[in-house]
Amino acid sequence: METDLFSYPTPFTPPTTEEDELSALRLIRSRRVGPTTFHRLIGEHDSATAALAALPEVARAAGVTDYTPFPEKQARAEIKAGKAAGALLLIHGGPDYPPALAQIDDAPPVLWALGQPELLARPMIALVGARNASSLGLRMAKRLSEGLGEAGICVVSGLARGIDAAAHEAALPTGTIAVQAGGIDVIYPQENTTLARQIAETGLRLTEAPPGTQPQARHFPARNRIISGLSAGVVVVEAALKSGSLITARDALDQGREVMAVPGHPMDGRAGGCNALLRDGATLVRGPEDVLAALNARRATVARTAPELSPRRSSGKPAPEPADLGTKILERLGPSPTAEDQVIRDLDVPAAAFSQALTALEIEGRIERHRGGLISRPV
């Protein structure tokens, strides 16, 4: 049966208890456990509680003898702070977690949500762009946001000044979601404080960061993959050639989302990124009708379910010892990111053994993960 353009396959939802939620929070807050390792550990141990219990042994096998998971007391303090801010804790795999976001490889294991969580069940489109937006750019963001809202679509953006703020403001009557880089109780920039309060009343604010977290430069790229991951497509209104908006567009491509851009004058630096996206195949947008047309056209060509992964080829050879396999993996890696699948094929080892060795290397701090299933040695 054909599914809606904006629908996504719902991942298996295991039974959740308060203990599971607390364990999930402790697991992702534990040292050297990022989203990818979190999901890998859950896959290997079937639940957050079991993965958390196994974590010290995983670290010990990796040569880290003084490893302790994130303390329960601190996790409970985070939950208390989140609830004091009026926010709801969403756990990956839980019934309220956004299904589109759950499909990306590095989906946030936990989210803090403040406002109207029912908006997460709505079709979503992201509008992003320059902070130092032009008057024309702001007008276009408003026009797109209003038109998409009238079509029943929830507008997603990043609560930044410029294009983001204009998109949120125009979508307040119809529904908007702001993804924050810092804590749910930390508004950045301060000039958007009133807007943030309005969004919390009629829309929704989301973040994967603990309450009280002050946003830093490294938080924004991680935030951007949530903006694109929530959405069926990303529209870039204005963006320089090197900008966070283009990071969001690249994330959208990696996640299989539609990438769209508003063209601009070649002499305007704020249009350089959009024009480059159009040159490389992004859909040209002149108004909300172009966004809707692009997504309706995509409906006929894009599968509605997550692709089934073919089993990785196995040579039938016994898996090397974890320490030996870790050494072999490191020998294949350099500072340039390399696809995990390529390393598995090069080494001709079972995927399960590779996964175990890779988790150990990450906990040791000897590899770095990158979006798109890429890994490298730390620079």
Side-chain angles (χ1 to χ4, degrees):
M1 182 176 66
E2 185 177 351
T3 57
D4 187 79
L5 167 66
F6 294 95
S7 69
Y8 294 85
T10 303
F12 170 70
T13 303
T16 57
T17 65
E18 183 177 347
E19 180 185 7
D20 289 331
E21 292 184 353
L22 183 65
S23 295
L25 184 59
R26 292 182 63 196
L27 185 61
I28 188 55
R29 301 296 187 232
S30 292
R31 182 164 50 109
R32 293 177 179 166
V33 176
T36 304
T37 296
F38 175 96
H39 296 304
R40 190 187 298 274
L41 289 169
I42 294 292
E44 292 173 354
H45 300 282
D46 296 328
S47 73
T49 300
L52 185 69
L55 191 55
E57 176 58 27
V58 171
R60 189 197 65 76
V64 181
T65 57
D66 59 345
Y67 190 93
T68 55
F70 191 74
E72 179 179 337
K73 182 177 180 181
Q74 289 181 239
R76 291 191 180 278
E78 177 177 338
I79 292 173
K80 182 177 180 181
K83 290 183 177 179
L88 175 69
L89 182 63
L90 307 180
I91 304 294
H92 187 277
D96 297 325
Y97 194 93
L101 187 62
Q103 300 304 315
I104 70 173
D105 292 337
D106 53 352
V110 302
L111 289 167
W112 283 106
L114 178 62
Q116 311 299 320
E118 60 269 21
L119 288 175
L120 294 170
R122 292 259 305 274
M124 291 175 258
I125 293 291
L127 295 183
V128 297
R131 288 173 170 81
N132 63 331
S134 69
S135 176
L136 284 174
L138 294 173
R139 286 165 55 191
M140 175 57 85
K142 179 180 178 182
R143 180 185 170 204
L144 290 171
S145 198
E146 289 175 343
L148 292 171
E150 290 170 2
I153 294 172
C154 183
V155 172
V156 181
S157 200
L159 198 59
R161 62 174 61 93
I163 296 299
D164 289 23
H168 285 309
E169 287 171 359
L172 281 172
T174 54
T176 186
I177 295 176
V179 185
Q180 300 174 221
I184 199 71
D185 53 348
V186 178
I187 306 305
Y188 180 87
Q190 284 293 315
E191 66 195 65
N192 284 344
T193 297
T194 299
L195 175 60
R197 289 173 180 165
Q198 292 173 323
I199 294 173
E201 292 172 2
T202 63
L204 184 69
R205 289 175 15 213
L206 281 180
T207 182
E208 64 181 329
T213 301
Q214 295 295 325
Q216 300 177 21
R218 60 186 173 86
H219 295 143
F220 289 91
R223 176 207 62 177
N224 293 346
R225 113 276 191 190
I226 300 176
I227 293 174
S228 57
L230 286 167
S231 310
V234 172
V235 182
V236 184
V237 179
E238 279 187 336
L241 281 170
K242 294 183 179 180
S243 66
S245 297
L246 293 197
I247 294 176
T248 309
R250 286 195 294 271
D251 287 340
L253 284 173
D254 289 341
Q255 296 162 355
R257 306 322 193 221
E258 186 77 12
V259 176
M260 296 159 275
V262 176
H265 195 286
M267 299 299 290
D268 188 345
R270 289 169 293 200
C274 290
N275 291 340
L277 288 173
L278 292 169
R279 177 199 63 201
D280 295 338
T283 299
L284 186 146
V285 170
R286 299 160 296 177
E289 61 280 356
D290 286 336
V291 178
L292 297 173
L295 293 171
N296 285 331
R298 183 181 177 85
R299 181 175 189 171
T301 57
V302 177
R304 291 307 167 270
T305 58
E308 292 187 10
L309 298 178
S310 300
R312 289 190 176 109
R313 181 174 58 87
S314 174
S315 64
K317 301 174 185 177
E321 290 296 321
D324 294 338
L325 181 52
T327 300
K328 292 180 181 295
I329 291 172
L330 290 174
E331 288 174 351
R332 293 281 179 171
L333 298 180
S336 298
T338 303
E340 288 186 31
D341 286 347
Q342 183 61 54
V343 180
I344 292 175
R345 287 193 292 269
D346 289 347
L347 295 177
D348 196 20
V349 295
F354 181 87
S355 172
Q356 181 181 0
L358 204 63
T359 299
L361 290 172
E362 184 172 23
I363 290 175
E364 290 179 62
R366 301 174 72 186
I367 65 161
E368 288 185 357
R369 292 189 185 275
H370 308 271
R371 290 187 182 85
L374 303 178
I375 54 177
S376 69
R377 282 199 180 200
V379 178

